Amino acid sequence: MKILVCISKTPDTTAKIAFTDNNTKFATDGVQWIINPYDEWYSLVRAIELKEKDPSTVLHLLTVAGAEADPIIRKALALGGDEAIRVNADSQDSFYIATQIAEVAKQGNYDLVFTGRETIDYNGSSIGGMVAELLNLPYVALATKFDLNGTTATITREIEGGEEVCEAALPLVVSCQKGMAEQRIPNMKGIMGARTKPLKVVEPAAADTLTSIAGFELPPAKAGVKLIPADNPAELVRLLHEEAKQI
Amino acid sequence: MSVLIYIDQAEGHVKKASLEALTYGAKLAAQLGTTAEAVVLGTVTEDLAALGKYGVKKIHHVSNDTLNHFDAQVFTGVIAQAVTAANADVVIFSNNVDGKALAPRLAARLKAGLVTGAAALPDTSNGFVVKKTVFSGKAFANVAINSPIKVIALNPNAFKIEAGEGTAEVAALNATVEASKVKVTQVNKVTGEVPLSEAEIVVSGGRGLKGPENWGMIEELAHLLHAATACSRPVADVHWRPHHEHVGQTGLAIAPNLYIAIGISGAIQHLAGVNRSKVIVVINKDPEAPFFKAADYGIVGDAFEVVPKIIEAVKKLKGVA
Ligand SMILES: Cc1cc2nc3c(=O)[nH]c(=O)nc-3n(C[C@H](O)[C@H](O)[C@H](O)COP(=O)(O)OP(=O)(O)OC[C@H]3O[C@@H](n4cnc5c(N)ncnc54)[C@H](O)[C@@H]3O)c2cc1C
């Protein structure tokens, strides 16, 4: 059993969102970087749990990024995983990134590829689906539960207004979200061990870039809150009905 | 050339998000000087021709029992055949649950540049640039698609549905449907409730409500307003409410017309999932709660006193005894 977990580095959830170079680049000054929460809390931790159940499982982490992502990969390795691979490329195009991941997945013959449901910076929700298509494998998106019985997976996924349970044989690509696992904090042993785990750097495969970011904008500022006295909530209902016209 | 819109349906009914996508696709087609066509998969009980009022000229219908269960791989294969049939160079999805699985697959198959989370019509004055939400709603990116075929997934509730006159030509598309490798064994729908992702009004509770036993008033208010219920992350983490109600940066991102936050502090991670709401109401006993900075209307007060009075006033407004 071989699992590949895709990891992305994202700005910390409290990072100030600002842009430089005439609003074409995210201002990274003073920004703390973290493992994308969907990748860490849900997909990586679930993969680690699967390995704990079946210790013969080989668990590899993969990121497509420059060397500045190395501390994030080490952080992920401190949680678990046998080794990490970094495809040495910097791209904002999902097709380019997915092509790199699919290339690594093909060469490594993985049974299972996990991604997070989206990154909290680009909010693309695209990588898992593209990788699945490039590998011609089934894809289950927005999974909230994942269990294995031999080579058959039982997966629960979100649907509008509920959930759906399905079964599929490996190999598979799955995107993970809340419910898959609980957040873990790396322990000292994990952190020490991560330093010596292999981190392979490979050069990117040739791939097309199909999109480019022309610029960023911030949403217009809110006009400010209209406060209604606590002893007169009926006034709020009137405003929502007559002024905001929402109820 | 044409713009092809994917119509998402559940149990035979076209989803509201798809009506938004149809309106968006028809407007884009007009902007590009082409026609709008659509594709729908599986058994549909609705009158498809009537969808012509959203501006779509032709609907390709592939009805096949395999397509009554969702499988991203099988569906992508069928939609790709519709793209050929319609000679489409732009494909529109809703960025909803199934759209998130399909749009990237189709884009990879067609080698098409993809923008998910689109917030407005593309700017086609110089190239093809789509505005999308990034940083969990805290900013927008203008993304240029540079490939001949383009795929867009439109954010739900970001584009107003517009209906006019007209009927669409409905044509059965004789597509090859692969066997599904994903077997659906169970569907659990929360019945009688408005799905959170599609709700126009959302009533949400936080840790300020003290415990699950106090959610009665949240549910009552939601029921009266035909709203969905949501909650902050710690509330779902301690199982006061189910996980699927968790909104925010690490939960569901929503964009209802009205978001009513009760006993929620408004942490940056919470705001990230709700800041695209059109109108935000905050009820919090702490005047310094950060949520007030993001709100349109606010009441500084104790939820346990304020909410029952709001319920009374809504009942009066709606004429409910
Ligand atoms: C990486 C990361 C990701 C996160 N993702 C999310 C996310 O997706 N969604 C999310 O919600 N959080 C998220 N969080 C957590 C977030 O930082 C906050 O801790 C959380 O949103 C707080 O929830 P709360 O407002 O319900 O509780 P609290 O912060 O405890 O606030 C309770 C509020 O209720 C008010 N209150 C108390 N009693 C009353 C009363 N009687 N009447 C009226 N008001 C009252 C208080 O004044 C207070 O403002 C994340 C955190 C991190 C670090």
Side-chain angles (χ1 to χ4, degrees):
Chain A
M1 176 70 185
K2 272 186 93 178
I3 307 179
L4 184 66
V5 173
C6 304
I7 298 283
S8 179
K9 116 183 180 300
T10 56
D12 172 52
T13 52
T14 58
K16 182 171 167 18
I17 306 305
F19 303 100
T20 60
D21 290 18
N22 210 6
N23 284 327
T24 57
K25 287 202 178 70
F26 174 59
T28 52
D29 274 4
V31 168
Q32 298 272 356
W33 297 91
I34 58 168
I35 309 169
N36 179 42
Y38 289 105
D39 304 345
E40 176 184 349
W41 302 356
Y42 309 132
S43 86
L44 176 57
V45 175
R46 186 63 195 135
I48 292 168
E49 288 171 355
L50 292 172
K51 186 177 162 74
E52 285 166 353
K53 257 172 104 183
D54 172 9
S56 71
T57 302
V58 176
L59 175 54
H60 290 171
L61 317 188
L62 169 64
T63 191
V64 180
E68 72 284 352
D70 286 350
I72 292 300
I73 306 172
R74 291 278 176 217
K75 229 187 114 190
L77 283 170
L79 284 163
D82 303 306
E83 65 170 63
I85 304 157
R86 177 166 64 78
V87 179
N88 188 27
D90 192 12
S91 173
Q92 288 173 313
D93 180 56
S94 46
F95 182 78
Y96 182 93
I97 295 170
T99 308
Q100 304 308 328
I101 294 173
E103 211 47 52
V104 170
K106 251 181 238 164
Q107 284 168 20
N109 254 317
Y110 295 91
D111 303 289
L112 191 57
V113 180
F114 271 173
T115 72
R117 78 172 257 161
E118 65 188 78
T119 57
I120 62 167
D121 51 0
Y122 191 70
N123 305 119
S125 292
S126 334
I127 299 298
M130 286 187 171
V131 169
E133 184 62 28
L134 294 168
L135 297 173
N136 195 23
L137 292 179
Y139 175 49
V140 179
L142 312 183
T144 55
K145 274 189 202 118
F146 182 95
D147 280 300
L148 266 182
N149 188 353
T151 57
T152 305
T154 304
I155 311 159
T156 305
R157 73 168 184 116
E158 176 196 328
I159 56 172
E160 270 101 15
E163 55 178 37
E164 187 176 275
V165 185
C166 58
E167 276 175 15
L170 300 179
L172 268 184
V173 181
V174 177
S175 87
C176 309
Q177 65 173 356
K178 186 161 181 141
M180 287 287 273
E182 301 281 337
Q183 184 181 5
R184 285 191 184 185
I185 313 282
N187 56 27
M188 213 45 202
K189 186 164 160 262
I191 295 168
M192 300 305 285
R195 292 187 189 162
T196 52
K197 286 181 183 172
L199 195 172
K200 286 191 197 149
V201 179
V202 300
E203 290 309 312
D208 286 320
T209 295
L210 306 177
T211 61
S212 54
I213 295 184
F216 293 96
E217 8 178 316
L218 292 170
K222 283 249 175 191
V225 59
K226 194 178 258 191
L227 286 177
I228 294 113
D231 57 7
N232 192 13
E235 174 63 5
L236 171 70
V237 174
R238 189 191 69 79
L239 287 167
L240 290 177
H241 181 62
E242 290 175 12
E243 186 178 84
K245 297 192 169 38
Q246 296 298 349
I247 64 173
Chain B
M1 289 297 156
S2 74
V3 173
L4 183 74
I5 302 120
Y6 171 71
I7 300 177
D8 193 3
Q9 57 104 353
E11 287 144 21
H13 296 288
V14 173
K15 292 183 189 166
K16 176 177 157 249
S18 289
L19 304 185
E20 296 163 2
L22 282 169
T23 309
Y24 180 94
K27 289 204 183 262
L28 177 58
Q31 186 179 319
L32 295 170
T34 59
T35 51
E37 301 191 12
V39 57
V40 62
L41 277 52
T43 312
V44 184
T45 47
E46 262 174 59
D47 176 15
L48 287 173
L51 296 176
K53 66 173 180 272
Y54 303 106
V56 61
K57 295 281 174 269
K58 183 172 180 181
I59 299 176
H60 303 266
H61 185 195
V62 189
S63 118
N64 175 312
D65 276 350
T66 310
L67 302 173
N68 288 333
H69 275 309
F70 182 75
D71 176 338
Q73 194 174 22
V74 175
F75 274 43
T76 301
V78 175
I79 298 168
Q81 295 170 65
V83 170
T84 308
N87 190 22
D89 57 352
V90 184
V91 187
I92 312 290
F93 291 88
S94 170
N95 197 34
N96 64 357
V97 170
D98 287 352
K100 282 188 167 130
L102 293 172
R105 275 205 90 120
L106 185 77
R109 174 176 293 225
L110 303 177
K111 251 192 157 200
L114 168 70
V115 175
T116 60
L121 279 169
D123 177 352
T124 51
S125 58
N126 183 13
F128 195 102
V129 179
V130 190
K131 184 170 170 170
K132 85 176 285 295
T133 47
V134 288
F135 295 103
S136 307
K138 284 178 256 179
F140 296 103
N142 291 305
V143 184
I145 306 185
N146 307 316
S147 52
I149 302 184
K150 299 156 178 84
V151 178
I152 299 173
L154 173 68
N155 268 337
N157 225 13
F159 204 76
K160 205 167 173 290
I161 299 167
E162 275 178 40
E165 301 286 315
T167 43
E169 174 198 345
V170 180
L173 178 68
N174 192 1
T176 310
V177 182
E178 289 166 49
S180 175
K181 294 186 198 125
V182 179
K183 192 172 126 220
V184 176
T185 54
Q186 229 185 88
V187 178
N188 306 322
K189 282 232 173 182
V190 192
T191 46
E193 280 179 34
V194 184
L196 187 51
S197 52
E198 290 185 2
E200 289 180 359
I201 303 180
V202 173
V203 182
S204 188
R207 216 151 47 176
L209 288 169
K210 310 279 190 285
E213 66 282 4
N214 295 326
W215 246 263
M217 61 183 189
I218 301 290
E219 282 171 350
E220 186 178 4
L221 182 58
H223 182 74
L224 282 168
L225 296 173
H226 199 63
T229 49
C231 68
S232 66
R233 179 176 158 221
V235 163
D237 280 353
V238 297
H239 306 294
W240 291 358
R241 299 297 292 176
H243 278 318
H244 66 252
E245 283 199 2
H246 159 192
V247 293
Q249 191 142 29
T250 49
L252 194 67
I254 53 171
N257 294 337
L258 176 60
Y259 184 73
I260 304 179
I262 302 169
I264 304 176
S265 58
I268 191 160
Q269 298 90 359
H270 184 86
L271 294 180
V274 302
N275 54 12
R276 288 189 291 116
S277 309
K278 289 191 185 83
V279 175
I280 295 180
V281 174
V282 170
I283 296 158
N284 196 303
K285 68 174 185 189
D286 174 10
E288 303 296 322
F291 221 145
F292 284 116
K293 290 204 179 68
D296 299 283
Y297 299 97
I299 294 183
V300 179
D302 185 338
F304 297 102
E305 289 167 20
V306 172
V307 176
K309 287 188 193 149
I310 293 178
I311 290 174
E312 282 318 306
V314 172
K315 278 187 179 163
K316 225 185 227 164
L317 177 75
K318 305 239 168 193
V320 184

